Amino acid sequence: MFPERTAIMLGEEPLLDYRELGRRAASIAASLKSDPGLSPGDRVALFMSNDVAYLEILYGIWWAGLVAVPINAKLHPKEAAYILENADAACLFCSDDLAASIETIADTLPALRRVFTPGSEDYARLQHAAPAPLTPRAPDDVAWLFYTSGTTGFPKGVMQTHRNLLTMTSCYFTDVDDVAPGDAMVYAAPFSHGAGMYHFPYLLRGALHVIPESRGFDPEELCRLSKSIGQLSLFAAPTMVRRLVEHIETHAVDPTGFKTIIYGGGPMYTEDIRKALSVMGNRFVQIYGQGECPMTITALSREHLADTAHPRWLERIASVGIAQSMVEVVTTDDRGVALPPGEIGEIRVRGDVVMAGYWNHPEASAAALQDGWLRTGDLGCFDDDGFLTLHDRSKDLIISGGANIYPREVEEVLLRHPGVHEVSVIGKPEAEWGEVVVAFMVADQVTVAELDALCLAHIARFKRPKHYHFIDALPKNNYGKVLKTALREELARYNPQQDLRTPEKS
Ligand code: AMP
């Protein structure tokens, strides 16, 4: 509708208009169909840091009726290889800096027919092929395989359908924010996760997509972009919000170039959101969602966050808001019976935004989807006005800087060391990151350096424990199950100065 409008900017520099973005998507689609010879439904992975080519590749994939598999660029190549194999990816787009690590494993992936690196000659040929017509898709066809780490430590591919993503996008307009021409979305968090999902409403409105030159989160850069581009919005994990607000306060930055900061993905402390509102004004919206129900369970609106005169304002800003318009949200007891307000239960969600299931994993799908409802694994409680407060996360998920870390995957790596007998990993609450990873170990003849090296060889850097505590035995119940609650209590009591057996790693 608006081919002349700028679509993509690198920092302050306009790079592509919508005509060119559409043309490139159609050319990439044509190439994917002809040279690797892909057919609708085939999986195409992206193992890329945020890049100006990200959106043209995503839309090229969808234009050809294929399924996108975005992989977090911070994952270890072995973790990426697991996802590529699990998804049976036929083609991979890989950033320059990650290409070398992938070359070594590409041979072990028989389904992988081609690897393209944006910026290469091969890639330029893709971009300039004669455009293909759009391949029609049905609403229940899978659009995005979103890999999320399960409690088993192995990531599962959430099948997000076109219907799911369309519903999520509609809810953005009804429950999160409106988008006007000239509005800009800046991608300071990875495209492969929540931040990348919010390109849909911006594309639908013909608005601007800004890739920061740093390719990541840099408060100073964001402030500069807000000043020069204006009407700038972003999705940010609570840790990022905190750092941005601190920067703005310390450097007395004028926040008016920011339009909306959507936060979520992990708990936001009340004090932090209060400070954010007082420093930056009424520019925040919270969302609560999960890969299985992308970005769309509840939202805490700008209006509710601003309603400081409300007698329950403090409780409200500590909540995750009310159910988004196109989903039903309930809390239930163990048998799935809905609970009244005031009682804590498991949060279940029903509606067009709920995933079709996990890719090639019927047991996990059956456990997560019951009687038409998604079991989120989160615990929460509604108040009389419909505001939902999260009480705990089941599954012992650790959320550090907005990234999910499942203890089991870290535990499995640490157990590879011959000197490690038992290990249990938990999250320690911490102001900067929300939580940091802490490992309790029963071990002998082990050094912290060896454990660090082991982690660096097998899992993403951000999953490596920040502290190791060496103890004589792990607390367990009668069934031999480790009592993580007891470890958390011990951690809360623990004083590193007094206990020489438990040296904290710097
Ligand atoms: P993911 O599937 O990686 O998006 O992780 C989803 C999980 O993050 C949810 O099941 C929640 O436990 C947590 N989460 C998401 N949004 C929020 C929020 N606004 N507040 C607290 N926790 C959240």
Side-chain angles (χ1 to χ4, degrees):
M1 285 170 66
F2 303 105
E4 72 293 344
R5 281 196 198 156
T6 300
I8 297 186
M9 299 179 72
L10 175 60
E12 290 160 43
E13 189 195 342
L15 284 189
L16 284 190
D17 61 19
Y18 272 95
R19 184 191 317 277
E20 180 62 6
L21 176 60
R23 191 204 59 73
R24 287 192 188 181
S27 294
I28 291 171
S31 309
L32 292 175
K33 285 166 111 172
S34 65
D35 181 2
L38 305 186
S39 316
D42 283 348
R43 274 79 53 213
V44 178
L46 298 92
F47 188 40
M48 291 170 53
S49 29
N50 285 1
D51 187 280
V52 290
Y54 214 108
L55 283 179
E56 67 191 38
I57 295 171
L58 274 180
Y59 280 92
I61 291 169
W62 290 321
W63 198 287
L66 304 162
V67 177
V69 188
I71 302 174
N72 185 347
K74 286 192 199 147
L75 290 188
H76 192 279
K78 285 185 185 170
E79 294 171 304
Y82 177 85
I83 292 175
L84 290 167
E85 188 175 6
N86 186 270
D88 243 343
C91 180
L92 168 68
F93 289 88
C94 185
S95 321
D96 225 1
D97 50 331
L98 300 169
S101 63
I102 281 295
E103 250 168 45
T104 56
I105 50 170
D107 294 345
T108 64
L109 302 164
L112 191 61
R113 286 183 240 167
R114 290 294 297 270
V115 180
F116 294 103
T117 304
S120 67
E121 275 177 28
D122 253 12
Y123 183 76
R125 269 195 293 280
L126 285 192
Q127 275 178 320
H128 293 99
L134 186 76
T135 303
R137 294 267 78 192
D140 291 323
D141 287 333
V142 178
W144 185 317
L145 272 191
F146 180 99
Y147 272 82
T148 169
S149 297
T151 37
T152 58
F154 289 108
K156 297 191 292 275
V158 173
M159 293 190 282
Q160 296 176 346
T161 64
H162 287 271
R163 189 194 299 280
N164 295 156
L165 298 177
L166 192 60
T167 309
M168 175 197 75
T169 305
S170 305
C171 281
Y172 187 90
F173 295 124
T174 51
D175 300 274
V176 179
D177 200 16
D178 206 350
V179 181
D183 282 358
M185 176 58 84
V186 59
Y187 302 96
F191 259 120
S192 56
H193 230 75
M197 306 220 129
Y198 279 165
H199 77 267
F200 292 107
Y202 273 69
L203 187 115
L204 204 56
R205 284 276 202 260
L208 294 166
H209 306 267
V210 183
I211 316 295
E213 278 177 288
S214 68
R215 305 291 195 273
F217 175 73
D218 174 354
E220 192 275 324
E221 180 182 33
L222 288 173
C223 291
R224 202 161 14 91
L225 292 173
S226 77
K227 211 172 280 173
S228 56
I229 299 172
Q231 290 165 246
L232 194 70
S233 295
L234 69 149
F235 175 76
T239 324
M240 293 160 65
V241 172
R242 197 186 149 86
R243 285 177 54 195
L244 181 64
V245 167
E246 263 168 22
H247 179 89
I248 288 181
E249 189 181 38
T250 318
H251 296 86
V253 176
D254 172 12
T256 54
F258 288 98
K259 184 185 176 202
T260 308
I261 294 165
I262 304 120
Y263 65 92
M268 170 71 101
Y269 295 111
T270 310
E271 275 318 303
D272 287 346
I273 187 62
R274 282 180 87 166
K275 179 162 175 199
L277 290 164
S278 80
V279 171
M280 290 188 68
N282 189 16
R283 297 171 204 285
F284 293 90
V285 179
Q286 182 183 192
I287 62 102
Y288 157 55
Q290 59 176 205
E292 290 81 348
C293 188
M295 312 300 267
T296 315
I297 301 176
T298 61
L300 183 63
S301 70
R302 198 190 292 269
E303 291 73 23
H304 284 132
L305 280 164
D307 190 9
T308 49
H310 194 280
R312 284 190 303 285
W313 179 69
L314 268 182
E315 282 115 286
R316 286 185 169 186
I317 64 168
S319 79
V320 291
I322 60 174
Q324 294 198 33
S325 301
M326 294 174 212
V327 286
E328 290 172 81
V329 185
V330 293
T331 52
T332 67
D333 66 14
D334 295 346
R335 292 163 299 140
V337 177
L339 295 170
E343 286 188 33
I344 299 172
E346 187 188 10
I347 299 160
R348 296 191 188 207
V349 186
R350 183 164 72 175
D352 281 351
V353 82
V354 171
M355 65 163 179
Y358 296 109
W359 176 256
N360 275 344
H361 211 322
E363 311 86 58
S365 305
L369 298 169
Q370 287 178 8
D371 306 323
W373 291 88
L374 167 72
R375 301 186 61 168
T376 62
D378 290 322
L379 295 179
C381 171
F382 278 106
D383 71 7
D384 289 329
D385 301 330
F387 285 76
L388 180 67
T389 299
L390 295 189
H391 274 265
D392 199 1
R393 298 186 303 266
S394 46
K395 307 187 239 170
D396 291 319
L397 177 70
I398 299 170
I399 300 183
S400 184
N404 287 358
I405 301 164
Y406 282 83
R408 174 89 177 261
E409 56 181 336
V410 184
E411 290 162 2
E412 277 172 2
V413 169
L414 294 172
L415 281 166
R416 286 168 179 248
H417 192 295
V420 173
H421 306 302
E422 280 190 302
V423 58
S424 183
V425 167
I426 59 171
K428 175 182 177 181
E430 197 251 9
E432 164 107 327
W433 295 100
E435 281 181 297
V436 294
V437 179
V438 175
F440 279 86
M441 332 266 308
V442 180
D444 54 44
Q445 301 187 334
V446 173
T447 66
V448 164
E450 286 164 3
L451 296 172
D452 272 350
L454 198 56
C455 290
L456 289 174
H458 294 283
I459 46 173
R461 187 169 277 271
F462 67 84
K463 299 178 186 171
R464 191 171 46 137
K466 281 260 191 312
H467 307 295
Y468 296 95
H469 296 291
F470 297 92
I471 54 176
D472 293 333
L474 293 177
K476 294 189 184 143
N477 70 9
N478 289 342
Y479 303 101
K481 200 168 136 41
V482 176
L483 294 167
K484 294 210 174 198
T485 23
L487 289 175
R488 287 194 191 97
E489 282 160 20
E490 184 162 329
L491 204 56
R493 277 199 308 272
Y494 167 65
N495 176 351
Q497 261 80 52
Q498 286 173 358
D499 189 347
L500 297 176
R501 284 176 314 157
T502 58
E504 279 207 335
K505 178 171 77 79
S506 62

